[in-house]
Amino acid sequence: MSIENVAVIGAGTMGAGIAQVCAQTGWNTTLYDAYPESLERGMQRINAFWEKGILKGKTSQEQKQIWSSKLQSTSDLSDAVSQSDLVIEAVPEIMELKRKLFSEIDAMTSGILATNTSSLSIQSIAEATSRPQEVIGMHFFNPVPIMELLELVKHDLCSSETIDFAQKAGAEMGKTTILVNDIPGFATSRLGVVLGNEAIRMLADGVANAEDIDKAMTLGYRHPMGPLRLTDLVGLDVRRDILLNLKESFGDERYMPHPLLEEMISKGMLGKKSGKGFFEWD
Ligand SMILES: NC(=O)c1ccc[n+]([C@@H]2O[C@H](COP(=O)([O-])OP(=O)(O)OC[C@H]3O[C@@H](n4cnc5c(N)ncnc54)[C@H](O)[C@@H]3O)[C@@H](O)[C@H]2O)c1
């Protein structure tokens, strides 16, 4: 089945990036968010990304117009999804929120349903619908327009047609896909959050300052970005939610968010999206 219309649910860090890439792929893309100011901010971020591309000579005004014509926003969930061949959900990492949303969307569209969850059981989300075989994990990386990987997560009830569909969709979006089983944290988040949490513990223990802990990994281990800067980029709240989900799923204290992470979140230091985390952001 070919894709013409796509809906993206949630216009935050990930949803805006996913909608941008869908529009650039040439799909009619509708971005939805439950909060009008978040929707507005998401659309502005996409526009700013394209404007920056023009300034840097990476894209043209004409190209931007073509992409813009493929992208629209709505604050009506049914409008967003009713004609969609594919719906990609990117709302906060809370199981009940995602299950409720999937049960609502299920009745509004016959399109394939995908979740961008970083750590939650895809099957539990799928079972909130009447057709779990058509639900799959499509885990994108931040920033979506730049990162090459798309982690596809299949669960026991997922049909081979749905997997094929998602693999083709990923290829059309210019992503390299990997296929992973539905084990919480998949092949990426599970390692990523443990590294980040340990770096936070090292910062709290006074091993070194944030800059130097990150440099140890970028210069000593050739990581493209240090674990604290990456935590800022992902969002401290997002990483805390992933850790808590893994702690609950595996019943393992190793995933307990470090108290410094909780303290920073309670002060509104969420990383790049709030302007301050382990580092200052413009
Ligand atoms: N941030 C990352 O680097 C990253 C990477 C991969 C996957 N993820 C996953 O993507 C998902 C979204 O993360 P994010 O970083 O974009 O979060 P975010 O907080 O930046 O954005 C979430 C958006 O969802 C909206 N929202 C809240 N409730 C909603 C509802 N009921 N219906 C529609 N919209 C609603 C919010 O207004 C907000 O705009 C999470 O599952 C997260 O684990 C995040």
Side-chain angles (χ1 to χ4, degrees):
M1 183 180 127
S2 69
I3 299 177
E4 280 180 29
N5 302 314
V6 176
V8 180
I9 311 300
T13 307
M14 295 306 289
I18 295 167
Q20 177 184 333
V21 174
C22 289
Q24 290 175 192
T25 303
W27 298 331
N28 298 315
T29 306
T30 307
L31 182 59
Y32 163 87
D33 198 289
Y35 301 92
E37 60 287 1
S38 301
L39 188 57
E40 175 79 30
R41 221 178 305 126
M43 292 296 280
Q44 281 169 0
R45 276 198 27 232
I46 299 171
N47 195 54
F49 194 106
W50 286 338
E51 286 294 336
K52 209 166 154 189
I54 294 171
L55 280 177
K56 285 184 174 172
K58 286 185 177 170
T59 190
S60 63
Q61 198 62 254
E62 294 71 37
Q63 182 65 78
K64 189 199 155 201
Q65 265 162 16
I66 294 170
W67 289 339
S68 300
S69 72
K70 294 286 175 185
L71 180 67
Q72 53 176 331
S73 65
T74 178
S75 43
D76 184 316
L77 183 58
S78 175
D79 268 2
V81 303
S82 59
Q83 301 299 316
S84 295
D85 306 304
L86 169 66
V87 178
I88 306 174
E89 164 276 313
V91 304
E93 192 74 339
I94 301 165
M95 178 58 91
E96 279 326 301
L97 182 62
K98 292 194 193 269
R99 280 180 58 90
K100 182 167 176 291
L101 193 65
F102 272 73
S103 73
E104 282 169 20
I105 297 171
D106 183 22
M108 297 173 176
T109 175
S110 55
I112 296 291
L113 306 179
T115 171
N116 185 50
T117 178
S118 312
S119 62
L120 297 169
S121 157
I122 311 296
Q123 187 162 330
S124 300
I125 297 172
E127 282 173 343
T129 73
S130 61
R131 47 190 177 101
Q133 69 280 6
E134 292 179 349
V135 179
I136 189 162
M138 287 180 82
H139 185 207
F140 291 86
F141 293 82
N142 181 16
V144 184
I146 292 165
M147 299 300 278
E148 191 186 340
L149 182 65
L150 171 59
E151 186 175 38
L152 299 177
V153 189
K154 64 181 168 72
H155 54 94
D156 287 349
L157 306 177
C158 192
S159 72
S160 55
E161 289 80 9
T162 301
I163 297 169
D164 283 353
F165 178 96
Q167 280 173 326
K168 285 190 187 118
E172 273 190 58
M173 294 171 96
K175 302 297 180 196
T176 299
T177 56
I178 56 171
L179 187 59
V180 176
N181 287 315
D182 188 21
I183 297 172
F186 323 128
T188 49
S189 310
R190 187 166 158 186
L191 274 179
V193 294
V194 169
L195 190 67
N197 206 33
E198 196 58 31
I200 296 167
R201 193 188 325 278
M202 286 162 60
L203 181 67
D205 288 351
V207 172
N209 65 24
E211 196 76 52
D212 283 353
I213 289 173
D214 270 12
K215 266 192 200 151
M217 288 294 105
T218 53
L219 303 183
Y221 281 68
R222 287 215 177 171
H223 287 199
M225 186 183 289
L228 296 172
R229 194 170 292 277
L230 184 58
T231 302
D232 268 3
L233 192 68
V234 170
L236 274 67
D237 53 337
V238 174
R239 283 226 143 163
R240 185 264 321 269
D241 290 345
I242 296 170
L243 281 161
L244 288 174
N245 286 325
L246 293 181
K247 178 173 168 282
E248 194 183 317
S249 307
F250 292 115
D252 190 333
E253 287 299 309
R254 112 178 64 171
Y255 300 107
M256 174 70 110
H258 190 276
L260 177 59
L261 181 61
E262 297 285 10
E263 188 189 319
M264 291 174 71
I265 293 167
S266 70
K267 289 179 180 162
M269 296 165 71
L270 303 181
K272 187 179 179 195
K273 64 184 164 188
S274 71
K276 194 167 165 48
F278 297 100
F279 300 94
E280 302 278 346
W281 296 82
D282 284 334

